[in-house]
Amino acid sequence: MGAEDRLSVVFGALADPTRRAILARLAEGPATVNEIAEPFAMTLPAVSKHLKVLERAGLISRGRQAQWRPCKLEAGPLREASDFLGRYRPFWQGPIQDGALQAS
Amino acid sequence: MGAEDRLSVVFGALADPTRRAILARLAEGPATVNEIAEPFAMTLPAVSKHLKVLERAGLISRGRQAQWRPCKLEAGPLREASDFLGRYRPFWQGPIQDGALQAS
DNA sequence: CCTTTTGTTTACCTATCGGTTAATTAGACC
DNA sequence: GGTCTAATTAACCGATAGGTAAACAAAAGG
């Protein structure tokens, strides 16, 4: 994943089960870092790194309340990713279509 | 991307602009490795590795005609990825929904 | 058989990833 | 100020990613 374009960063962020599980957790509402980390068999710094990846991808935002840093799902980039995949829908839905498919 | 579950492999494959461009090319029809490599400023082995990544993700298949290995788009896994993203649609569409969101 | 074309495989290199432990920052609380 | 809790940063580690050049394999075509 040595690329820096938006879509690569977003897909890269999604390419890890821990990070997808974090997104699923945040879909139920905001949570602090410790709350997010609780289900995982890894240390806090590891979770902190995952959160940084998600933040870089624009998939979460972080607030500040005292010493807590509540994280919140930001689903906008998922829409861009979904739009990308949507362009391929003809290829998994129908049998054969001639593809109007603009650049990635 | 050190994970091996299907979704991680697919998202990992998509997390590179070269590989997405290859998919876009194959959306216009099958192509040989040299045809695929032609637009890119990299060596053939590099393209060959990208193709292997795409093949592992189930996103392409390869045939055999004499010394040519024609590649073909296999969009099935993109549907699974799209289904995953689809579960988050309420979070980018509407304002606030209570999320019925099963595990990743 | 030799050569050309097509593509893969084999080292190799550097950078990034995902994880750890230890140290550090920052705010709450007494 | 001292201490507890929350979270990040720093330093380190082994494994993987993405690229190269060079060697190899396999089929076509003289």
Side-chain angles (χ1 to χ4, degrees):
Chain A
M1 225 171 326
E4 72 282 15
D5 61 291
R6 267 196 80 62
L7 220 36
S8 294
V9 172
V10 172
F11 280 132
L14 294 174
D16 182 288
T18 300
R19 288 194 292 262
R20 290 198 305 278
I22 291 174
L23 292 182
R25 166 64 186 83
L26 293 179
E28 296 170 0
T32 67
V33 176
N34 273 290
E35 286 168 349
I36 291 168
E38 189 269 327
F40 300 109
M42 67 182 68
T43 59
L44 256 195
V47 172
S48 203
K49 281 188 181 183
H50 281 303
L51 291 174
K52 204 181 319 187
V53 172
L54 290 169
E55 191 175 33
R56 264 195 74 226
L59 289 169
I60 67 170
S61 61
R62 282 140 131 173
R64 270 195 186 224
Q65 300 179 31
Q67 68 267 57
W68 292 272
R69 249 58 118 234
C71 297
K72 184 169 160 292
L73 178 64
E74 300 287 345
L78 295 182
R79 175 182 204 154
E80 302 171 30
S82 186
D83 287 350
F84 170 85
L85 293 176
R87 300 213 292 274
Y88 289 88
R89 182 164 295 110
F91 297 93
W92 76 66
Q93 272 187 339
I96 301 157
Q97 267 84 355
D98 60 333
L101 193 63
Q102 56 266 47
S104 90
Chain B
M1 222 172 321
E4 71 283 14
D5 61 290
R6 264 195 83 60
L7 220 35
S8 295
V9 173
V10 172
F11 280 132
L14 293 174
D16 182 289
T18 300
R19 287 193 292 262
R20 291 197 305 278
I22 291 174
L23 292 183
R25 166 66 186 81
L26 292 179
E28 296 170 1
T32 67
V33 177
N34 273 290
E35 286 168 349
I36 291 169
E38 190 268 325
F40 300 109
M42 69 182 68
T43 59
L44 255 197
V47 173
S48 203
K49 280 191 183 181
H50 283 304
L51 292 174
K52 204 181 320 186
V53 172
L54 290 169
E55 192 175 32
R56 264 195 76 225
L59 289 169
I60 66 170
S61 61
R62 282 140 131 175
R64 273 197 185 224
Q65 301 179 32
Q67 68 267 58
W68 292 273
R69 250 59 120 234
C71 296
K72 185 168 159 291
L73 178 64
E74 300 287 345
L78 295 182
R79 177 184 203 152
E80 302 171 30
S82 186
D83 288 350
F84 170 85
L85 293 176
R87 300 213 291 275
Y88 288 89
R89 183 163 295 111
F91 296 93
W92 76 67
Q93 271 187 340
I96 301 159
Q97 266 85 355
D98 59 334
L101 194 64
Q102 56 266 47
S104 89

